[in-house]
Amino acid sequence: MEANMRWVMITAVAPISWGATYFVTRQSLPADYPFYGGALRALPAGILLLLITRELPKGSWWWRSLLLGAVNFGAFFTLIYATAQLLPASIASTLMATSSVMLMLLAWPLLAERPQVPAVAGAVIGIGGVALMLLGEPGSVDYRGVLTSLAAMTLSCVGAILTKRWSPDVNLLALTSWQLIAGGLLILPVAGLIEGAPPALTPERVVAYGYVTFVATALGFTVWFEGMRRLNAATVGLIGLLNPVAGVLLGVLVGSEAFGVKQLAGLLLVLGGILLGQPLVRRRMAAASQVWPSSPARRRPAPDGTRDHL
């Protein structure tokens, strides 16, 4: 139990760092370079992890790395970059919170992880918080950003499930490095073809790229994949609800984005959903249900003919 809680906290580093990515991208990186944005985020992080592990793919991991790199990083990073430029950080990160439900649904057929009732209830409560924060603000939502966000969310869930299914015994740092390099190399020629020369690197952009590359990517995805390996998909999906919490708080504290009673209520619902779906809470709920005496009709008679207390 303690080990699970430790990995819950470690895995939480990923969505918290991703929540900040939207704000950093929107405020400090050029808007018209989504493909270069994805490539510059993926390749340096992948090369760094490869230098640490010094391990190359073997056998089927060549094509698996290519496929996972395209899904988890190439297409995903491009879509996330576009989303960050089209939507405020609070809304972009909140939309990604719907991945909790998608992970549960995909894990059932692909990993035989049947979602538990508290986890489903937690996801519904969390998504209710998401809706509360988004609905009623049509003027502030660019629906092109909503579409790119939902597409990115779907790809990230598929990639996370496939990574968990295929990689129980693979060095995680090496696996992450292969995917990052493959994804970056796949979109780099597309960037050159569509966007022309790469964007100029000012000091502010160097710092911003450094954050999204080494913190939100190299560190974030390493702990995320390790969390997927050690925890069930429902638990990891609920941890992902911390993404909008980080995005909203950063957008409010640093970006002067609007924050009122509705946003506060939505955040509280998201946090409540996360807590409800955690294994520790589920075990305590199950233990509490066993404390209550069963109904009289189900009590078995004691040897002396009287009814037993339980």
Side-chain angles (χ1 to χ4, degrees), residues 125-241:
I125 292 172
I127 297 304
V130 170
L132 182 62
M133 299 176 72
L134 286 176
L135 297 180
E137 302 287 348
S140 63
V141 177
D142 186 329
Y143 286 97
R144 295 175 300 168
V146 173
L147 292 176
T148 57
S149 176
L150 292 177
M153 178 269 294
T154 303
L155 285 176
S156 71
C157 291
V158 171
I161 292 292
L162 289 177
T163 300
K164 178 169 184 174
R165 182 173 181 176
W166 285 344
S167 60
D169 301 317
V170 180
N171 182 310
L172 194 68
L173 286 179
L175 171 61
T176 306
S177 74
W178 306 335
Q179 294 181 62
L180 284 165
I181 292 172
L185 290 177
L186 283 172
I187 59 175
L188 187 59
V190 180
L193 182 64
I194 295 177
E195 298 169 356
L201 292 179
T202 64
E204 181 184 10
R205 290 177 180 177
V206 169
V207 173
Y209 278 123
Y211 174 81
V212 299
T213 297
F214 300 113
V215 178
T217 302
L219 174 62
F221 278 94
T222 297
V223 298
W224 182 253
F225 289 146
E226 188 65 41
M228 283 292 297
R229 179 179 289 182
R230 294 175 179 270
L231 303 168
N232 63 52
T235 298
V236 175
L238 287 168
I239 296 170
L241 291 172

